[in-house]
Amino acid sequence: MKDVVGTLCATHREIERALACLIRIARESSGGALREPAAFAEGLRFFRVVAPEHSATEEETVFPRLRCAVQPELVRLLDTLEEEHGCADRAHDEADRLGRLWLANGRLSTAETARLTAILEGLSGLYERHIRLEESDVFPSLSLTQ
């Protein structure tokens, strides 16, 4: 389980970096021509492929093990984290749609740019809290189940 937690934490750092890159490029490009289209496309791909795999590993490997510990506060926290995975998935779907539109058309409208930036910044806040809870409260609790 230690290897799984190490991999999950490493992926957290990748999530933070990929999201920061998308936000930076979106802000710098302001809906016009993307300044770093390859990096932007790679960030979108990362969240289409890696993030769902990461969430699945947590929900299928880590969370069930902790639910067996039957600590009510921990179970509520796990429920919240799973709900956040769903919220993040929906936000990523919309960001991906707008991002692909940007890549295909070479620009976004002012409204689309504002929406994409708001989604990405919202995801940044969600991940900041989410990752902190997992790394400070959830992953250390795994030692109690061994």
Side-chain angles (χ1 to χ4, degrees):
M1 190 56 66
K2 185 177 180 180
D3 291 342
V4 171
V5 170
T7 299
L8 291 172
C9 289
T11 305
H12 285 166
R13 303 296 79 78
E14 291 177 37
I15 287 169
E16 292 164 340
R17 281 191 297 276
L19 190 53
C21 180
L22 286 173
I23 291 169
R24 180 184 55 75
I25 293 170
R27 285 179 181 159
E28 288 174 356
S29 301
S30 301
L34 281 163
R35 293 192 178 172
E36 298 175 55
F40 193 80
E42 177 55 28
L44 294 175
R45 187 207 63 78
F46 174 87
F47 284 107
R48 274 193 312 276
V49 176
V50 177
E53 291 172 357
H54 174 83
S55 294
T57 299
E58 289 177 347
E59 292 177 8
E60 296 167 8
T61 305
V62 175
F63 293 3
R65 184 179 200 126
L66 290 171
R67 286 186 188 284
C68 293
V70 193
Q71 295 174 317
E73 300 89 30
L74 185 56
V75 171
R76 281 192 293 278
L77 176 58
L78 296 174
D79 290 343
T80 298
L81 292 171
E82 285 182 355
E83 287 174 25
E84 288 179 353
H85 285 165
C87 290
D89 289 345
R90 288 185 294 280
H92 281 298
D93 287 346
E94 188 174 359
D96 189 64
R97 181 187 65 77
L98 289 167
R100 287 179 186 229
L101 182 66
W102 199 350
L103 287 162
N105 296 339
R107 58 182 50 260
L108 286 179
S109 71
T110 302
E112 290 166 331
T113 303
R115 179 69 185 140
L116 178 59
T117 303
I119 292 167
L120 295 173
E121 289 172 349
L123 281 165
S124 181
L126 183 146
Y127 278 121
E128 184 180 322
R129 290 182 306 277
H130 186 91
I131 288 169
R132 184 181 65 245
L133 286 171
E134 286 182 346
E135 292 183 1
S136 67
D137 296 347
V138 175
F139 297 163
S141 297
L142 284 169
S143 63
L144 304 174
T145 64
Q146 296 175 354

